[in-house]
Amino acid sequence: WPALIAVLSLGYLLGSIPFGYVLTKMAGLGDVRSIGSGNIGATNVLRTGNKKLAAATLLLDALKATVAAVVAQLVFGENAGLLAGFAAFIGHLFPIWLGFKGGKGVATYIGMLLGVAPLMVLVFALAWLSVAFITRYSSLSALVATLAIPIVLWILGVEEAALITSAMTAITFWRHKANIERLIAGTESKIGKKG
Ligand code: G3P
């Protein structure tokens, strides 16, 4: 139990660091939650017009989950990596520092995969880039990519990872409720577009 609590706490606290919010504030661009979709993730940081800041947000939001997963894996073994990565994902969605109102978890999802199943990042990237190339919708790309991951893991028979990523994908869809409604209505904004 103490080990499990340590793993989950480490993941949650790391995942809780809202890099998009912090970096945008530090760059003097105000509160990212008051622009575009109001989200704290890289897609919305890009709506400030600052590509480097958006890239840094994507990288750091991903790496916080990778670090949590890798450390937990090294100390407690393989499944601990999955749990710590999952906890980081939850931390990003419900960060203690922002009144538990956080992001949608896409970058953190990728970072967790990088820590526990690096080849799955390729599957994610391929799905994301294909959909983004065709549609220019970040949200739709993320939805398709996060759906692909548990499907591939189930096919490969990696049950623990498939189970946890299935839950993460379901949560990701739920967090994209407003995006899905906008996609259906045809009002979702495309990558790099403000609003
Ligand atoms: O990763 C989040 C992305 O899928 C959607 O972001 O700001 O358009 O709601 P946003």
Side-chain angles (χ1 to χ4, degrees):
W1 279 108
L4 182 66
I5 291 168
V7 160
L8 294 178
S9 311
L10 164 81
Y12 175 77
L13 287 174
L14 273 172
S16 235
I17 307 169
F19 282 110
Y21 172 80
V22 172
L23 293 177
T24 321
K25 269 268 151 95
M26 277 169 57
L29 293 168
D31 188 335
V32 69
R33 296 172 300 178
S34 65
I35 66 152
S37 67
N39 194 38
I40 57 165
T43 301
N44 204 36
V45 172
L46 188 61
R47 297 194 182 101
T48 66
N50 191 323
K51 287 186 187 154
K52 281 189 186 151
L53 218 55
T57 301
L58 175 63
L59 195 68
L60 292 170
D61 275 347
L63 286 183
K64 66 189 181 185
T66 312
V67 169
V70 170
V71 170
Q73 208 160 300
L74 287 174
V75 179
F76 301 106
E78 204 170 317
N79 285 342
L82 277 172
L83 288 177
F86 180 69
F89 172 80
I90 295 296
H92 180 81
L93 265 53
F94 307 102
I96 192 163
W97 318 115
L98 296 180
F100 302 101
K101 292 197 181 84
K104 300 182 185 178
V106 180
T108 321
Y109 197 131
I110 301 169
M112 181 260 207
L113 291 176
L114 185 63
V116 300
L119 283 180
M120 284 298 119
V121 177
L122 289 180
V123 174
F124 195 107
L126 200 67
W128 197 98
L129 290 169
S130 312
V131 180
F133 183 73
I134 298 166
T135 69
R136 315 294 302 166
Y137 291 127
S138 176
S139 54
L140 186 62
S141 310
L143 292 170
V144 172
T146 55
L147 200 58
I149 295 302
I151 293 175
V152 172
L153 287 168
W154 282 119
I155 291 170
L156 294 175
V158 196
E159 280 180 18
E160 290 87 356
L163 201 64
I164 289 202
T165 55
S166 292
M168 287 167 69
T169 295
I171 296 168
T172 305
F173 269 65
W174 163 64
R175 291 297 275 198
H176 281 77
K177 189 171 171 283
N179 300 86
I180 294 168
E181 283 166 1
R182 286 195 295 270
L183 284 166
I184 293 169
T187 55
E188 176 71 323
S189 70
K190 302 205 168 183
I191 293 168
K193 294 261 161 61
K194 304 206 167 147

PDB file of all heavy atoms in Angstrom, residues 37 39 43-44 47 104 106 138-139 142 176 179 182 188, ligand 1:
ATOM      1  N   SER A  37     -10.325  27.974 -26.772  1.00  0.00           N
ATOM      2  CA  SER A  37     -11.219  26.992 -26.151  1.00  0.00           C
ATOM      3  C   SER A  37     -11.211  27.100 -24.632  1.00  0.00           C
ATOM      4  O   SER A  37     -12.001  26.451 -23.960  1.00  0.00           O
ATOM      5  CB  SER A  37     -10.765  25.584 -26.540  1.00  0.00           C
ATOM      6  OG  SER A  37      -9.495  25.317 -25.946  1.00  0.00           O
ATOM      7  N   ASN A  39      -8.825  25.961 -22.884  1.00  0.00           N
ATOM      8  CA  ASN A  39      -8.072  24.810 -22.381  1.00  0.00           C
ATOM      9  C   ASN A  39      -6.627  25.221 -22.076  1.00  0.00           C
ATOM     10  O   ASN A  39      -6.133  26.213 -22.591  1.00  0.00           O
ATOM     11  CB  ASN A  39      -8.103  23.683 -23.426  1.00  0.00           C
ATOM     12  CG  ASN A  39      -7.650  22.360 -22.862  1.00  0.00           C
ATOM     13  OD1 ASN A  39      -7.957  22.030 -21.722  1.00  0.00           O
ATOM     14  ND2 ASN A  39      -6.906  21.597 -23.641  1.00  0.00           N
ATOM     15  N   THR A  43      -2.586  22.831 -27.871  1.00  0.00           N
ATOM     16  CA  THR A  43      -3.421  23.311 -28.986  1.00  0.00           C
ATOM     17  C   THR A  43      -3.917  24.721 -28.712  1.00  0.00           C
ATOM     18  O   THR A  43      -3.925  25.580 -29.596  1.00  0.00           O
ATOM     19  CB  THR A  43      -4.633  22.372 -29.191  1.00  0.00           C
ATOM     20  OG1 THR A  43      -4.146  21.068 -29.466  1.00  0.00           O
ATOM     21  CG2 THR A  43      -5.500  22.828 -30.350  1.00  0.00           C
ATOM     22  N   ASN A  44      -4.323  24.961 -27.472  1.00  0.00           N
ATOM     23  CA  ASN A  44      -4.849  26.285 -27.145  1.00  0.00           C
ATOM     24  C   ASN A  44      -3.728  27.299 -26.949  1.00  0.00           C
ATOM     25  O   ASN A  44      -3.900  28.471 -27.274  1.00  0.00           O
ATOM     26  CB  ASN A  44      -5.760  26.214 -25.917  1.00  0.00           C
ATOM     27  CG  ASN A  44      -6.744  27.368 -25.894  1.00  0.00           C
ATOM     28  OD1 ASN A  44      -7.227  27.792 -26.951  1.00  0.00           O
ATOM     29  ND2 ASN A  44      -7.009  27.909 -24.726  1.00  0.00           N
ATOM     30  N   ARG A  47      -2.932  29.017 -29.983  1.00  0.00           N
ATOM     31  CA  ARG A  47      -3.848  30.116 -30.371  1.00  0.00           C
ATOM     32  C   ARG A  47      -3.345  31.472 -29.876  1.00  0.00           C
ATOM     33  O   ARG A  47      -3.904  32.501 -30.259  1.00  0.00           O
ATOM     34  CB  ARG A  47      -5.269  29.826 -29.862  1.00  0.00           C
ATOM     35  CG  ARG A  47      -5.862  28.584 -30.493  1.00  0.00           C
ATOM     36  CD  ARG A  47      -7.362  28.437 -30.285  1.00  0.00           C
ATOM     37  NE  ARG A  47      -7.826  27.192 -30.897  1.00  0.00           N
ATOM     38  CZ  ARG A  47      -8.091  26.064 -30.222  1.00  0.00           C
ATOM     39  NH1 ARG A  47      -7.996  26.042 -28.901  1.00  0.00           N
ATOM     40  NH2 ARG A  47      -8.474  24.981 -30.861  1.00  0.00           N
ATOM     41  N   LYS A 104      -7.162  18.351 -21.150  1.00  0.00           N
ATOM     42  CA  LYS A 104      -7.874  17.226 -21.763  1.00  0.00           C
ATOM     43  C   LYS A 104      -7.027  15.956 -21.824  1.00  0.00           C
ATOM     44  O   LYS A 104      -7.509  14.902 -22.192  1.00  0.00           O
ATOM     45  CB  LYS A 104      -8.367  17.646 -23.149  1.00  0.00           C
ATOM     46  CG  LYS A 104      -9.312  18.834 -23.030  1.00  0.00           C
ATOM     47  CD  LYS A 104      -9.916  19.324 -24.315  1.00  0.00           C
ATOM     48  CE  LYS A 104     -10.729  20.587 -24.004  1.00  0.00           C
ATOM     49  NZ  LYS A 104     -11.327  21.196 -25.179  1.00  0.00           N
ATOM     50  N   VAL A 106      -4.268  14.933 -23.627  1.00  0.00           N
ATOM     51  CA  VAL A 106      -3.702  14.299 -24.817  1.00  0.00           C
ATOM     52  C   VAL A 106      -2.168  14.195 -24.743  1.00  0.00           C
ATOM     53  O   VAL A 106      -1.600  13.118 -24.943  1.00  0.00           O
ATOM     54  CB  VAL A 106      -4.152  15.034 -26.106  1.00  0.00           C
ATOM     55  CG1 VAL A 106      -3.552  14.375 -27.331  1.00  0.00           C
ATOM     56  CG2 VAL A 106      -5.679  15.045 -26.193  1.00  0.00           C
ATOM     57  N   SER A 138      -7.266  19.410 -34.333  1.00  0.00           N
ATOM     58  CA  SER A 138      -6.457  18.789 -33.284  1.00  0.00           C
ATOM     59  C   SER A 138      -7.285  17.814 -32.450  1.00  0.00           C
ATOM     60  O   SER A 138      -6.845  16.717 -32.122  1.00  0.00           O
ATOM     61  CB  SER A 138      -5.862  19.876 -32.382  1.00  0.00           C
ATOM     62  OG  SER A 138      -5.158  19.287 -31.326  1.00  0.00           O
ATOM     63  N   SER A 139      -8.512  18.236 -32.130  1.00  0.00           N
ATOM     64  CA  SER A 139      -9.363  17.400 -31.275  1.00  0.00           C
ATOM     65  C   SER A 139      -9.688  16.068 -31.962  1.00  0.00           C
ATOM     66  O   SER A 139      -9.537  15.007 -31.345  1.00  0.00           O
ATOM     67  CB  SER A 139     -10.648  18.140 -30.921  1.00  0.00           C
ATOM     68  OG  SER A 139     -11.291  18.583 -32.098  1.00  0.00           O
ATOM     69  N   ALA A 142      -6.745  13.799 -32.013  1.00  0.00           N
ATOM     70  CA  ALA A 142      -6.503  13.207 -30.690  1.00  0.00           C
ATOM     71  C   ALA A 142      -7.502  12.095 -30.393  1.00  0.00           C
ATOM     72  O   ALA A 142      -7.137  11.046 -29.847  1.00  0.00           O
ATOM     73  CB  ALA A 142      -6.587  14.292 -29.620  1.00  0.00           C
ATOM     74  N   HIS A 176     -13.459  15.781 -24.165  1.00  0.00           N
ATOM     75  CA  HIS A 176     -13.600  16.452 -25.458  1.00  0.00           C
ATOM     76  C   HIS A 176     -15.070  16.638 -25.858  1.00  0.00           C
ATOM     77  O   HIS A 176     -15.370  16.864 -27.023  1.00  0.00           O
ATOM     78  CB  HIS A 176     -12.871  15.662 -26.558  1.00  0.00           C
ATOM     79  CG  HIS A 176     -11.388  15.863 -26.577  1.00  0.00           C
ATOM     80  ND1 HIS A 176     -10.537  15.267 -25.691  1.00  0.00           N
ATOM     81  CD2 HIS A 176     -10.599  16.631 -27.379  1.00  0.00           C
ATOM     82  CE1 HIS A 176      -9.287  15.631 -25.952  1.00  0.00           C
ATOM     83  NE2 HIS A 176      -9.294  16.467 -26.964  1.00  0.00           N
ATOM     84  N   ASN A 179     -15.686  19.705 -27.730  1.00  0.00           N
ATOM     85  CA  ASN A 179     -15.062  19.611 -29.063  1.00  0.00           C
ATOM     86  C   ASN A 179     -15.911  18.746 -29.989  1.00  0.00           C
ATOM     87  O   ASN A 179     -16.097  19.086 -31.162  1.00  0.00           O
ATOM     88  CB  ASN A 179     -13.653  18.999 -28.962  1.00  0.00           C
ATOM     89  CG  ASN A 179     -12.716  19.810 -28.083  1.00  0.00           C
ATOM     90  OD1 ASN A 179     -12.703  19.627 -26.877  1.00  0.00           O
ATOM     91  ND2 ASN A 179     -11.951  20.705 -28.683  1.00  0.00           N
ATOM     92  N   ARG A 182     -18.806  20.602 -31.159  1.00  0.00           N
ATOM     93  CA  ARG A 182     -18.418  21.584 -32.193  1.00  0.00           C
ATOM     94  C   ARG A 182     -18.076  20.899 -33.517  1.00  0.00           C
ATOM     95  O   ARG A 182     -18.382  21.414 -34.585  1.00  0.00           O
ATOM     96  CB  ARG A 182     -17.220  22.419 -31.708  1.00  0.00           C
ATOM     97  CG  ARG A 182     -17.586  23.455 -30.660  1.00  0.00           C
ATOM     98  CD  ARG A 182     -16.468  24.484 -30.491  1.00  0.00           C
ATOM     99  NE  ARG A 182     -15.240  23.917 -29.963  1.00  0.00           N
ATOM    100  CZ  ARG A 182     -14.949  23.840 -28.666  1.00  0.00           C
ATOM    101  NH1 ARG A 182     -15.799  24.313 -27.772  1.00  0.00           N
ATOM    102  NH2 ARG A 182     -13.812  23.305 -28.253  1.00  0.00           N
ATOM    103  N   GLU A 188     -15.912  23.618 -34.961  1.00  0.00           N
ATOM    104  CA  GLU A 188     -14.624  23.401 -34.270  1.00  0.00           C
ATOM    105  C   GLU A 188     -13.523  24.185 -34.991  1.00  0.00           C
ATOM    106  O   GLU A 188     -13.492  24.235 -36.230  1.00  0.00           O
ATOM    107  CB  GLU A 188     -14.306  21.898 -34.268  1.00  0.00           C
ATOM    108  CG  GLU A 188     -12.961  21.516 -33.667  1.00  0.00           C
ATOM    109  CD  GLU A 188     -12.885  21.690 -32.152  1.00  0.00           C
ATOM    110  OE1 GLU A 188     -13.460  22.665 -31.622  1.00  0.00           O
ATOM    111  OE2 GLU A 188     -12.237  20.860 -31.496  1.00  0.00           O
TER     112      GLU A 188
HETATM  113  O1  G3P B   1      -5.383  18.261 -26.885  1.00  0.00           O
HETATM  114  C1  G3P B   1      -6.501  19.021 -26.790  1.00  0.00           C
HETATM  115  C2  G3P B   1      -7.089  19.108 -28.154  1.00  0.00           C
HETATM  116  O2  G3P B   1      -7.490  17.833 -28.544  1.00  0.00           O
HETATM  117  C3  G3P B   1      -8.202  20.083 -28.232  1.00  0.00           C
HETATM  118  O3  G3P B   1      -7.802  21.296 -27.694  1.00  0.00           O
HETATM  119  O4  G3P B   1      -8.016  23.692 -27.206  1.00  0.00           O
HETATM  120  O5  G3P B   1      -9.044  22.757 -29.281  1.00  0.00           O
HETATM  121  O6  G3P B   1     -10.028  22.224 -27.070  1.00  0.00           O
HETATM  122  P1  G3P B   1      -8.774  22.556 -27.799  1.00  0.00           P
END
